[in-house]
């Protein structure tokens, strides 16, 4: 399946989350969350620590089950799908934990990312070449053990590894976490390159300025609920963004 979407698909709803509620035991982490992402869009999900951003992403990826709500992807109800089935539908997630297999080389990590197409060597080889062309540092270090890469290089590797499944929607959780500003700038250049292939992205960020500069639309989560939503430019200039971050 191509990573790009035909031009006439742009603007169609790809992902729809309706009234999502997720609990951890007695704690309700998110409630009544509704959001949509259209084909070709980059949408960001903002909010303070503990607002429910990762919980929302993990639910979409099938890794957490909701108590209430519905998640639809390209018109199909994926609410009860396992993570692997969600991946096969075309949704890949890059978790904020940025975990590589440290003893494996860069290339071996990428091979693992293509496991859902393991019977299709041609497809995996073509995607590998595409990723190595897109991320030159990975091409140069393809035989290096991944555990020895810098933080910024590991971030590129986990993004490229997720792309090996050739997703139509990429869920990116805090790609700038713990990275120096110049490296963050670099990572966003790669994200923009991926976008130019037509990839649709849902991005979680604490770095609101960075996310709002690049995304088209934003949702702001506060204490587990969507408190604001709109075009990124409007959210960036909204007077209460800081207050929402403080959870007030
Ligand atoms: P951060 O920016 O710090 O990653 P977040 O917006 O992604 O925060 P979540 O990680 O989704 O927030 O957490 C939402 C709420 O759920 C928080 O109150 C958190 O303490 C709680 N929570 C998250 N994971 C668990 C868990 N495994 N068990 C219990 N509570 C959890």
């Amino acid at each position: 399946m191509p990573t790009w979407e035909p031009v006439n698909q742009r603007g169609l709803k790809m992902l729809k989350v309706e009234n999502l509620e997720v609990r951890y035991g007695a704690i309700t982490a998110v409630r009544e969350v509704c959001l949509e992402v259209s084909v070709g869009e980059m949408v960001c999900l903002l909010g303070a620590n503990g607002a429910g951003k990762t919980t929302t992403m993990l639910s979409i990826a099938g890794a957490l089950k909701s108590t209430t709500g519905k998640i639809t992807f390209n018109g199909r109800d994926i609410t009860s799908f396992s993570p692997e089935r969600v991946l096969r539908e075309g949704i890949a997630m890059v978790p904020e934990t940025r975990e590589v297999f440290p003893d494996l080389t860069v290339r071996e990590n990428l091979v693992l990312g293509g496991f859902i197409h393991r019977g299709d060597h041609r497809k995996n080889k073509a995607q590998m070449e595409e990723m190595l062309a897109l991320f030159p540092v990975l091409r140069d270090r393809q035989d290096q053990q991944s555990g020895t890469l810098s933080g910024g290089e590991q971030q590129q590797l986990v993004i490229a590894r997720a792309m090996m499944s050739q997703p139509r929607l990429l869920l990116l959780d805090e790609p700038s976490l713990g990275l120096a500003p110049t490296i963050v700038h670099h990572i966003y250049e790669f994200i923009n390159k991926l976008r130019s292939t037509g990839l649709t992205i849902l991005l979680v960020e604490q770095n609101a300025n960075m996310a709002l500069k690049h995304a088209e639309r934003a949702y702001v989560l506060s204490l587990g609920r969507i408190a604001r939503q709109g075009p990124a430019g409007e959210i960036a200039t909204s007077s209460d963004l800081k207050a929402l971050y403080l959870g007030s």
Side-chain angles (χ1 to χ4, degrees):
M1 192 171 292
T3 55
W4 48 269
E5 298 291 335
V7 172
N8 62 6
Q9 297 273 300
R10 283 184 182 269
L12 292 181
K13 294 279 168 281
M14 179 180 262
L15 177 75
K16 198 168 176 188
V17 175
E18 295 167 272
N19 286 315
L20 187 76
E21 179 177 297
V22 185
R23 291 194 200 140
Y24 298 102
I27 299 167
T28 304
V30 298
R31 64 182 83 209
E32 294 168 19
V33 165
C34 297
L35 63 86
E36 290 182 349
V37 182
S38 297
V39 174
E41 260 194 319
M42 178 147 96
V43 173
C44 63
L45 192 53
L46 306 174
N49 280 124
K53 305 181 296 296
T54 297
T55 301
T56 303
M57 292 286 247
L58 289 172
S59 305
I60 296 167
L64 274 179
K65 290 299 157 218
S66 57
T67 42
T68 324
K70 187 174 175 190
I71 302 171
T72 314
F73 182 64
N74 285 335
R76 185 192 282 238
D77 184 349
I78 61 163
T79 318
S80 62
F81 280 19
S82 67
E84 183 174 337
R85 234 180 128 195
V86 171
L87 188 64
R88 287 185 187 282
E89 283 299 308
I91 302 178
M93 179 165 174
V94 180
E96 64 181 336
T97 45
R98 201 180 293 155
E99 276 164 26
V100 296
F101 297 101
D103 298 334
L104 300 186
T105 65
V106 166
R107 181 174 271 274
E108 287 165 344
N109 267 270
L110 291 175
V111 167
L112 289 176
F115 79 97
I116 61 165
H117 306 302
R118 57 186 168 262
D120 193 337
H121 297 299
R122 224 175 46 184
K123 196 174 202 171
N124 272 337
K125 193 160 179 275
Q127 187 68 357
M128 169 84 76
E129 291 314 316
E130 206 173 307
M131 288 303 110
L132 293 178
L134 202 66
F135 296 93
V137 76
L138 300 183
R139 188 188 53 216
D140 296 345
R141 292 162 186 272
Q142 55 186 288
D143 298 317
Q144 187 172 324
Q145 271 196 331
S146 303
T148 62
L149 297 175
S150 71
E153 289 162 356
Q154 289 189 358
Q155 183 63 69
Q156 291 178 56
L157 176 55
V158 289
I159 293 173
R161 192 178 60 197
M163 289 302 300
M164 285 298 295
S165 68
Q166 305 194 20
R168 286 184 284 171
L169 171 66
L170 187 67
L171 307 176
L172 266 177
D173 197 354
E174 305 255 15
S176 68
L177 196 70
L179 299 177
T182 50
I183 308 292
V184 172
H185 181 76
H186 223 59
I187 295 294
Y188 271 84
E189 279 178 1
F190 287 117
I191 294 171
N192 283 335
K193 273 194 201 172
L194 288 173
R195 282 203 71 199
S196 68
T197 68
L199 183 70
T200 306
I201 298 178
L202 178 61
L203 168 76
V204 155
E205 265 292 2
Q206 284 256 351
N207 188 339
N209 288 337
M210 199 55 158
L212 290 169
K213 214 158 79 186
H214 292 274
E216 279 141 305
R217 288 191 304 113
Y219 292 87
V220 185
L221 270 172
S222 180
L223 304 174
R225 294 175 192 269
I226 300 284
R228 286 286 174 287
Q229 60 178 291
E234 273 176 32
I235 298 287
T237 54
S238 68
S239 55
D240 57 355
L241 189 59
K242 256 191 202 143
L244 290 171
Y245 260 70
L246 296 172
S248 54

